[in-house]
């Protein structure tokens, strides 16, 4: 993740009521965040953030009920392309992670 931006969500008919979604735990903490993926039921948002480890993004999941984002990975290396996929009736989360010089799909 080379660059990040502030992630904001709002009801479609009330864009002036947007709220920030972040992995930051302290006021004023600046994190690089981006590459979002919506959960299929739109109740949560997955995204990458380097809040826990500068320059090393991890995957976070934020339920849109006002609670804090939850860190779901502790990665080393390059990651990209978060996505939810349906397999055998169950939603899985997958992304690409470079490992030993080649891309590898990671699922949870």
């Amino acid at each position: 993740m080379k660059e990040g931006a502030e992630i904001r969500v709002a009801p479609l008919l009330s864009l002036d009521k947007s709220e920030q979604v972040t992995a930051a735990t302290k006021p004023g903490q600046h994190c690089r965040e981006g590459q979002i993926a919506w959960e299929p039921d739109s109740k949560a948002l997955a995204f990458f953030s380097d809040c826990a480890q500068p320059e090393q993004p991890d995957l976070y999941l934020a339920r849109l009920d006002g609670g804090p984002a939850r860190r779901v990975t502790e990665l080393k290396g390059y990651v990209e392309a978060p996505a939810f996929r349906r397999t055998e009736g169950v939603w899985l989360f997958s992304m690409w992670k470079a490992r030993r010089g080649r891309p590898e799909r990671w699922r949870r």
Side-chain angles (χ1 to χ4, degrees), residues 28-62:
Q29 183 180 7
H30 179 71
C31 308
R32 293 188 324 175
E33 298 175 323
Q35 296 194 37
I36 66 171
W38 283 99
E39 193 175 56
D41 64 5
S42 298
K43 292 182 179 178
L45 185 68
F47 62 97
F48 290 118
S49 174
D50 71 350
C51 276
Q53 302 177 71
E55 304 295 321
Q56 176 57 65
D58 283 305
L59 181 68
Y60 286 79
L61 185 65

Side-chain angles (χ1 to χ4, degrees), residues 61-107:
L61 185 65
R63 299 257 171 237
L64 301 179
D65 59 5
R70 181 173 58 93
R71 183 178 177 194
V72 293
T73 63
E74 291 186 35
L75 300 170
K76 294 200 184 318
Y78 179 76
V79 291
E80 68 175 15
F84 287 93
R85 309 247 189 260
R86 189 172 180 115
T87 303
E88 298 178 11
V90 176
W91 286 102
L92 300 175
F93 186 83
S94 65
M95 66 184 173
W96 288 101
K97 176 180 184 273
R99 184 173 178 177
R100 294 186 206 110
R102 65 184 187 275
E104 180 178 286
R105 185 163 290 245
W106 179 88
R107 295 177 185 211

